[in-house]
Amino acid sequence: MNTTKILMLAIATTLIACTKKDKGYDATGTFEATEITVSAEQSGQLLQFNVDEGCKLRKNQQVGLIDTVQLALKALQLGATMQSIANQRPDIQTQIAATRQQLVKAELEQTRFIKLVRDGAANSKQLDDATSAVRVLKQQLAAQASSLSNSTKALNSQISATDIQKYQILDQLMKCHIVSPINGTVLEKYTEPGEFATVGKPLFKIADIKHMFLRAYITSQQLEKVKIGQKVTVMADYGNQKRRTYKGTVTWISDYSEFTPKTILTDDERADLVYAVKIAVNNDGYIKTGMYGEIKL
């Protein structure tokens, strides 16, 4: 009798071990996607907003527009200010032309007196006066050119500052155009056309559900068998033993251990240290965010 009990216990133990061994997966987790919450970058009335939950959007596709009237008027005002400042810039060559002509005449007079003094037809004082006149005109010409140059630089600086303000307005105008940051599917919509948008107000949430990730947890014993870039088998669990199999690639392994999450099943039900991993999977349309999945190393 005792022999029979021992034999039955051994058979049961073997069956349990086989069941554990043949469960078909090494770790479980849930599928997730790259989700982005798009918020307003400018304040104003939402004039257009062509977004519905479930619709597919392309990267950089415009889906909405915030009122741009005031910003456009400010851009026009800055453009007019720049033109007004530009009109104040002096024409240096024109304004120093008269002084330059006087200098040329004075230099000719100086040359004439040099010859006269050499021939004894004029005294040295007349030459000194002519030389002094040339020197004064040269100083006047340099001072005038410097003053006009400084005035031009100051006006150019004003134009540059105004130009920067114009680019800031243009950047704000661009941010009034609401665009999709990625190729994806709209998960949630938070506002409607006609509402007033403020900076930072969430408008909609979009996710790239074509490229999904299975976040699973492996034990420290399994850690040595997993590396970045490794190909693994991923199974989407629909319940009632229904699964779809996909090819996956390990893209991330946590550098830190953590206690087993309550929603994740492991071989041991007691609290144990595990490592999170992410496996990239191309979605054929059947995988949904939050669905349970399994991996086979």
Side-chain angles (χ1 to χ4, degrees):
M1 184 70 177
N2 291 335
T3 303
T4 303
K5 288 182 178 181
I6 292 173
L7 180 60
M8 292 178 65
L9 180 61
I11 293 173
T13 303
T14 302
L15 289 174
I16 293 173
C18 290
T19 301
K20 289 185 177 180
K21 184 177 180 181
D22 298 334
K23 62 184 179 180
Y25 59 87
D26 295 303
T28 63
T30 55
F31 286 98
E32 58 185 37
T34 301
E35 298 182 358
I36 299 176
T37 299
V38 179
S39 301
E41 296 184 85
Q42 289 296 316
S43 297
Q45 185 180 13
L46 195 58
L47 301 180
Q48 299 176 12
F49 193 54
N50 303 317
V51 169
D52 290 305
E53 294 179 355
C55 68
K56 299 183 183 299
L57 302 177
R58 303 185 308 275
K59 183 177 181 179
N60 296 326
Q61 177 182 344
Q62 181 172 327
V63 296
L65 178 66
I66 296 174
D67 186 9
T68 62
V69 173
Q70 294 302 318
L71 289 174
L73 291 175
K74 192 170 183 179
L76 291 175
Q77 181 184 21
L78 289 173
T81 301
M82 288 177 59
Q83 187 61 47
S84 175
I85 296 173
N87 291 336
Q88 297 176 36
R89 283 187 296 194
D91 186 341
I92 297 177
Q93 297 304 318
T94 300
Q95 295 193 32
I96 67 174
T99 305
R100 191 186 298 276
Q101 186 63 32
Q102 292 176 14
L103 178 60
V104 171
K105 184 178 179 180
E107 287 175 338
L108 290 174
E109 192 71 9
Q110 181 187 33
T111 302
R112 187 174 70 86
F113 274 109
I114 291 174
K115 293 179 180 180
L116 290 174
V117 170
R118 187 185 306 131
D119 296 338
N123 57 46
S124 59
K125 183 181 183 307
Q126 290 175 307
L127 176 58
D128 291 341
D129 291 342
T131 302
S132 177
V134 170
R135 187 183 303 112
V136 170
L137 285 171
K138 284 184 176 180
Q139 292 175 349
Q140 289 179 355
L141 182 62
Q144 190 177 12
S146 176
S147 176
L148 293 172
S149 177
N150 290 336
S151 178
T152 300
K153 289 179 180 178
L155 291 172
N156 287 339
S157 297
Q158 293 182 41
I159 291 175
S160 297
T162 308
D163 198 34
I164 292 173
Q165 294 179 38
K166 182 178 179 180
Y167 279 113
Q168 290 175 334
I169 296 298
L170 292 176
D171 179 65
Q172 294 174 19
L173 280 169
M174 289 184 61
K175 290 178 179 178
C176 288
H177 297 263
I178 304 166
V179 298
S180 172
I182 59 173
N183 295 323
T185 301
V186 177
L187 301 182
E188 297 181 52
K189 178 181 179 181
Y190 304 121
T191 189
E192 295 292 338
E195 293 185 10
F196 189 85
T198 56
V199 177
K201 178 182 179 180
L203 303 176
F204 67 97
K205 181 187 290 185
I206 187 171
D208 180 6
I209 61 175
K210 184 177 181 181
H211 303 95
M212 303 283 285
F213 295 92
L214 175 65
R215 179 185 286 269
Y217 292 84
I218 59 176
T219 63
S220 56
Q221 290 82 6
Q222 295 172 315
L223 186 60
E224 63 178 359
K225 301 178 183 178
V226 182
K227 62 181 180 180
I228 301 294
Q230 178 179 341
K231 304 297 182 182
V232 298
T233 300
V234 176
M235 293 163 285
D237 188 354
Y238 295 88
N240 296 325
Q241 303 300 318
K242 295 181 180 180
R243 293 181 175 86
R244 293 181 70 89
T245 302
Y246 303 87
K247 294 180 180 179
T249 304
V250 178
T251 59
W252 173 77
I253 302 174
S254 174
D255 293 328
Y256 303 97
S257 61
E258 54 188 290
F259 285 104
T260 307
K262 294 181 180 179
T263 56
I264 303 299
L265 300 176
T266 60
D267 288 341
D268 196 342
E269 292 181 357
R270 64 182 175 81
D272 193 9
L273 291 178
V274 294
Y275 295 82
V277 296
K278 290 177 70 173
I279 296 95
V281 179
N282 288 327
N283 188 7
D284 58 0
Y286 290 95
I287 302 177
K288 307 298 180 183
T289 304
M291 180 183 292
Y292 282 99
E294 303 156 350
I295 62 171
K296 184 69 176 177
L297 299 176

